[in-house]
Amino acid sequence: MNVFAPSLEMICIEDIAHALSNQCRFGGHLPKFYSVAQHSVIMSEKINNRHRLAALLHDASEAYLLDMPRPIKQGLSNYKELEGMLMKVIAKKFGFDYPLHEKIKEIDEYMLEWEWSNLMLGEKNLFPDIDCWPPTYAKAQFIEAFKNLRA
C-alpha cells in the first residue's frame, strides 16, 4: 500500500485487524503485550452507539503507519498530515466522520491514562484491571466488533 497516495481499494479491514492486533501499545515498552486492536475494541465499548465504529477505527491508520508514542508523533514534521490523509480515506471507506468526534478523543485520553497506570505502573486500585489478549484473539475480537457494528 502506498501511504502517500491512499485509495479506497487499498484499505482492507482484515489488514487493519491483523496489523493492529500485532502492534503493542506504547511502542512496545509495556511489560506485557497489549495490542492496539484490543485498545480499539475497548474504546468502541466505552462510547455511545453513534460513534462506536469511529472509535473502533480511530487508530486504523496505524495499521499502515505503525503505532508511535505521542512524543515521537509530535516530533515528526508530516506524520499528522499523513495520518489525517489516510484517516479520511478510511473514514470514507467505512462510513464514519473524520475528523473524529470530541467524545472519541476524550475517551482515548482516558484510555491512555488507564492503560499506562495499569500496565506500566501497576496501579490496579485506580482503574479496573486489564486482561491482555493474545494477538489472534485481539484480531478476532476486532473483526467481530467491526461486523457487529456494520450489521
Side-chain angles (χ1 to χ4, degrees):
M1 172 175 180
N2 182 354
V3 297
F4 301 105
S7 69
L8 295 175
E9 298 76 32
M10 295 176 185
I11 307 298
C12 173
I13 196 63
E14 290 80 10
D15 290 345
I16 293 168
H18 181 77
L20 296 184
S21 68
N22 285 292
Q23 289 185 47
C24 187
R25 291 273 288 156
F26 301 101
H29 291 277
L30 295 172
K32 56 185 174 178
F33 185 84
Y34 174 72
S35 73
V36 176
Q38 181 176 353
H39 161 81
S40 298
V41 170
I42 294 170
M43 280 273 304
S44 74
E45 295 168 348
K46 293 193 174 297
I47 198 163
N48 63 41
N49 285 341
R50 182 169 179 246
H51 300 295
R52 280 203 166 138
L53 181 61
L56 179 69
L57 296 172
H58 78 285
D59 282 337
S61 63
E62 294 176 3
Y64 305 101
L65 297 175
L66 303 176
D67 179 34
M68 290 195 205
R70 188 178 293 173
I72 295 172
K73 275 185 190 179
Q74 292 170 340
L76 298 174
S77 61
N78 69 337
Y79 185 92
K80 292 304 256 179
E81 179 185 332
L82 286 171
E83 180 180 50
M85 182 175 55
L86 192 51
M87 283 301 294
K88 285 177 189 172
V89 174
I90 292 167
K92 185 174 182 179
K93 169 102 180 195
F94 297 118
F96 63 91
D97 293 332
Y98 188 84
L100 298 170
H101 190 274
E102 194 60 39
K103 189 67 178 166
I104 294 171
K105 296 174 186 176
E106 288 173 20
I107 293 172
D108 202 22
E109 285 298 317
Y110 166 82
M111 295 279 298
L112 177 74
E113 183 180 350
W114 172 43
E115 293 160 347
W116 185 259
S117 296
N118 191 286
L119 296 170
M120 186 58 112
L121 303 179
E123 296 174 352
K124 308 293 185 190
N125 57 340
L126 297 176
F127 300 97
D129 197 18
I130 299 173
D131 181 30
C132 297
W133 304 339
T136 53
Y137 185 76
K139 179 179 179 178
Q141 291 301 301
F142 188 96
I143 293 288
E144 182 177 330
F146 177 79
K147 287 179 179 176
N148 288 339
L149 291 168
R150 298 282 291 201

